[in-house]
Structures are given as C-alpha cells and as structure tokens.
Amino acid sequence: IEKCGIIKPDVPVVASSTDYEIIKVIADSAQKNGSDVYFNGKDYYYSIVGDDERGYFFEYYNIRTGINYNKLYLPSRPVHQVKNASAAITALLLTSEAGFTNITGEIIASGIKEVTLKGRFQIISERPLIIFDAAHNYEALKNLFNAVDNLYGKMNLRIILSIMDDKLNDDVINLFAERGDFIIYYVFDDNRLYIPENNKFNIVTSD
C-alpha cells in the first residue's frame, strides 16, 4: 500500500507482481489516479529459455504493442531478477512511446546484457562459496534461499545476518527455523536494528 504512493495522476504504472491481493491494491490506486497499468502476465510477459553460471537467457513480449524480444541475456541471479528486468523493459517502452525515440530494441538488449547488481546474489568468493545479498524481508530471503538451493543443492549454510526490527516478523523467523542454518548475528550502531534476545540466533557479535 505504501509503495502505491508513487502512483501519480495520468502517469502509466508498471506492476511486476502476480499476487492477487497486491494487484488489486495497485489497480484500485491507479484507477483513483486515472493511471493506466501494465500488469505482468496480462499486458506483458517473459519466458526463460536457458541459463548459465552467471544468469539467464529470456524472451520478452508486450501484448499491447506486439513488441517481442527473443534474444535477451541478463547476467544476474536469482531468477526473480528476470521479472524485474521485464518490468524495466516495459517502462522503457513506455518512455519510448512518450517521445524518447532513441530507446531501441538493440539498446535495451545491450543494456540488459551489461547489468551488474552489487549486493544482489553477489559472488564474493567461489572457493569457499561466499554470497552477499541485501535481502531484507521475507520474500527476498525466500527467493535467495531458493536460488542457493537450486544452484548449489540444499546444504546447511553459515549466515552472517543483520536485519531491521520492522522486517523481522513471524514469517522470517519461521523461515530461518525451518532451514536450521547456523546464524552469526552482527550488531552495528543503528537504532532501527533488531537486537536478538532469548538466544534467537547462534552467535551475536559486534566485533
């Protein structure tokens, strides 16, 4: 609901979520503002056709315009980044329609190919495997763990974790509990930070 605050009157909206409840909130807010909405799976969609050690090959199709890009490559993981990239493509096409005619399919494809997302499934080391990710809520953490399991097989992880107090809800706690990973909780100076209590995590350190 808070994020719907960015919806402005008569400005097109691109929504990547396929969750019914989220879609309904976005649609209602857009209608109040007289804004047209492009929904993932309804007005545009993507299809992953392959992958390699760095990212994904995918196709993009815009149902409203008939524009189809079938040779796109995104050097980023995990898989939900393809969804994000498809939403970005849709926004770029709308920008092109608004008069920025220098935004072409070739430019979009080359831009997607050069994407780097530091702090998003960033491989710090291959041996030992060290992954840095700024996942900060339940959905992001779930996507991160699924990506690790799918790419490297299910294993017990050693996690260095810090999380803001308003992000540590029951879903997040249950997610960690179900996995049973060894967690080192790092405490730093921020009054928004959650401070563990009752031995919720294995090790707490500020060193």
Side-chain angles (χ1 to χ4, degrees):
I1 294 175
E2 292 177 0
K3 291 186 177 180
C4 284
I6 67 172
I7 297 177
K8 305 302 179 185
D10 301 318
V11 177
V13 178
V14 178
S16 63
S17 178
T18 55
D19 182 278
Y20 173 77
E21 294 299 327
I22 295 176
I23 288 174
K24 187 176 185 304
V25 171
I26 293 173
D28 289 346
S29 181
Q31 185 177 29
K32 291 176 183 177
N33 283 277
S35 301
D36 193 13
V37 187
Y38 286 70
F39 285 110
N40 175 20
K42 176 177 178 290
D43 301 294
Y44 71 94
Y45 67 86
Y46 64 90
S47 176
I48 296 174
V49 296
D51 66 341
D52 62 15
E53 69 279 0
R54 293 195 305 149
Y56 303 93
F57 300 91
F58 70 103
E59 299 177 349
Y60 169 89
Y61 187 73
N62 191 298
I63 296 172
R64 294 203 198 182
T65 63
I67 291 175
N68 180 31
Y69 300 134
N70 57 13
K71 294 182 179 180
L72 297 172
Y73 176 69
L74 177 68
S76 180
R77 290 185 178 274
V79 69
H80 69 266
Q81 296 296 355
V82 180
K83 178 176 71 172
N84 294 338
S86 297
I89 292 171
T90 305
L92 284 169
L93 291 176
L94 287 168
T95 303
S96 178
E97 291 176 6
F100 292 85
T101 55
N102 58 329
I103 300 176
T104 64
E106 290 76 14
I107 288 175
I108 289 174
S110 63
I112 294 293
K113 189 177 180 180
E114 298 299 322
V115 164
T116 57
L117 296 172
K118 291 185 178 181
R120 295 296 185 184
F121 211 82
Q122 183 178 353
I123 308 297
I124 303 297
S125 169
E126 292 282 355
R127 294 186 179 180
L129 178 63
I130 301 174
I131 300 172
F132 174 66
D133 196 287
H136 65 288
N137 56 33
Y138 171 76
E139 199 63 35
L141 286 165
K142 185 177 179 182
N143 287 335
L144 172 62
F145 291 142
N146 284 342
V148 173
D149 291 345
N150 290 335
L151 289 170
Y152 301 104
K154 291 189 176 182
M155 64 181 84
N156 289 325
L157 306 177
R158 289 183 175 269
I159 300 171
I160 299 176
L161 172 71
S162 297
I163 191 167
M164 296 303 169
D165 189 64
D166 64 334
K167 301 298 183 181
L168 190 69
N169 54 33
D170 288 342
D171 288 336
V172 172
I173 292 172
N174 291 336
L175 179 62
F176 283 124
E178 290 167 4
R179 291 189 56 85
D181 295 314
F182 186 83
I183 300 174
I184 299 173
Y185 192 89
Y186 183 75
V187 177
F188 57 90
D189 187 16
D190 191 313
N191 57 15
R192 300 170 300 161
L193 186 68
Y194 169 76
I195 305 298
E197 54 188 20
N198 300 324
N199 299 315
K200 191 177 294 293
F201 298 112
N202 298 297
I203 297 177
V204 178
T205 180
S206 57
D207 298 331

